[in-house]
Amino acid sequence: MGCCKSCADCSFKCMKMALFVFNLIFLLLGLTLVGVGIWVMVESNAANAFTLTNTDTMTLYAGAIVLIVGGVITVIVAVLGVVGAWKEHQIILGVFFTCLLFLLCMEVAIGVYYVVQKDQFYTTVGDAIDTLSTRNYSDFDTALQTLLDTIHKDLQCCGLNSTKNFSPKPDSCSCDVDTNDNCCELDALSWWDRPCKRPIILWMQEQSSIIAGVGIGFGLVMVFGMTMSCCLCQKKRKTGNNAV
């Protein structure tokens, strides 16, 4: 009997510690969300990217606010979990479980919305790029020119929906034909031989996949926290030592 009781106590302490560590990690994730949201609010290149695609920058700021609010909620939930695990308080653990369940449902809803709307989103981005392709490089302000230069160099492309969009071509369209497969010679100069429309959309799809992976991991972490809180409540109920 003593051995069984000792094992039960050890199991209870392990679950308590696991939930405590989980909430510390969850707290850091919440602070990270707040930091990313603030960064999006103040980062000029993010706003320039939305301006370049003719997208209302209010959409960007709304997304940043959602990140900040989500981060704050995550921090509050993490604090509830830490207190509930430390005090072994069933009511707080119950509130913690309910909050995690709500966040998990919200994450699933956002994921479903993305799956339904992603094709329309990429079509809208493509249409916006086509619209911008009627403007010459010199028509853009300095900030947008800098953004275009970065796109040209990082994605190894030139122009928007055609390599002939910009005349004269900016220096960022130049490349080394000896070291780059996407480079070709024209008029004794070397230029990227593909427009940027498809590389931009492919890059956005890659980032979406990364975000989806992070979201799945985040969801699994929440399921773990919910499971630990349920187990801890069940253990407390069996021992009859409710700290209410």
Side-chain angles (χ1 to χ4, degrees):
M1 289 293 292
C3 181
C4 292
K5 183 178 180 181
S6 177
C7 290
D9 290 342
C10 182
S11 174
F12 181 78
K13 290 179 180 179
C14 287
M15 283 190 293
K16 179 179 176 180
M17 185 59 63
L19 187 59
F20 185 74
V21 172
F22 161 81
N23 281 290
L24 289 179
I25 296 173
F26 208 57
L27 178 64
L28 293 176
L29 288 174
L31 293 174
T32 300
L33 286 176
V34 173
V36 171
I38 294 174
W39 177 82
V40 171
M41 291 283 285
V42 302
E43 173 59 35
S44 60
N45 280 338
N48 290 337
F50 271 63
T51 302
L52 183 63
T53 55
N54 270 355
T55 305
D56 188 0
T57 52
M58 287 304 297
T59 303
L60 173 69
Y61 296 132
I65 291 172
V66 169
L67 284 175
I68 293 172
V69 172
V72 171
I73 292 174
T74 302
V75 168
I76 293 173
V77 172
V79 171
L80 281 174
V82 169
V83 174
W86 188 259
K87 297 291 185 180
E88 303 174 9
H89 199 299
Q90 288 190 8
I91 294 178
I92 296 179
L93 288 173
V95 174
F96 169 72
F97 176 89
T98 303
C99 290
L100 281 184
L101 180 62
F102 173 76
L103 289 175
L104 184 62
C105 290
M106 288 293 295
E107 183 178 356
V108 171
I110 293 172
V112 171
Y113 178 80
Y114 166 74
V115 170
V116 172
Q117 294 292 328
K118 65 177 182 178
D119 290 338
Q120 179 61 40
F121 171 74
Y122 293 127
T123 299
T124 301
V125 171
D127 292 342
I129 292 174
D130 290 337
T131 301
L132 285 171
S133 65
T134 59
R135 299 171 61 182
N136 199 15
Y137 180 84
S138 58
D139 296 333
F140 296 104
D141 60 31
T142 303
L144 290 180
Q145 286 180 357
T146 301
L147 179 60
L148 281 170
D149 291 340
T150 301
I151 292 174
H152 289 160
K153 294 175 181 178
D154 290 351
L155 301 183
Q156 298 184 355
C157 56
C158 181
L160 293 171
N161 63 359
S162 171
T163 56
K164 299 179 180 179
N165 285 144
F166 301 145
S167 181
K169 296 181 187 296
D171 292 339
S172 56
C173 281
S174 63
C175 55
D176 187 350
V177 71
D178 295 326
T179 58
N180 295 285
D181 295 334
N182 297 319
C183 195
C184 65
E185 290 187 12
L186 180 65
D187 299 329
L189 297 174
S190 299
W191 309 102
W192 297 118
D193 65 353
R194 62 176 183 173
C196 293
K197 179 179 177 178
R198 179 146 183 81
I200 288 174
I201 292 176
L202 287 175
W203 179 84
M204 296 178 72
Q205 291 173 339
E206 289 173 0
Q207 306 313 305
S208 297
S209 298
I210 294 173
I211 293 172
V214 172
I216 292 173
F218 200 59
L220 292 175
V221 168
M222 285 191 285
V223 170
F224 174 79
M226 292 164 63
T227 303
M228 286 295 99
S229 64
C230 283
C231 291
L232 193 59
C233 282
Q234 188 67 20
K235 280 285 185 181
K236 284 295 295 180
R237 190 175 294 114
K238 285 182 177 180
T239 57
N241 295 323
N242 298 338
V244 180

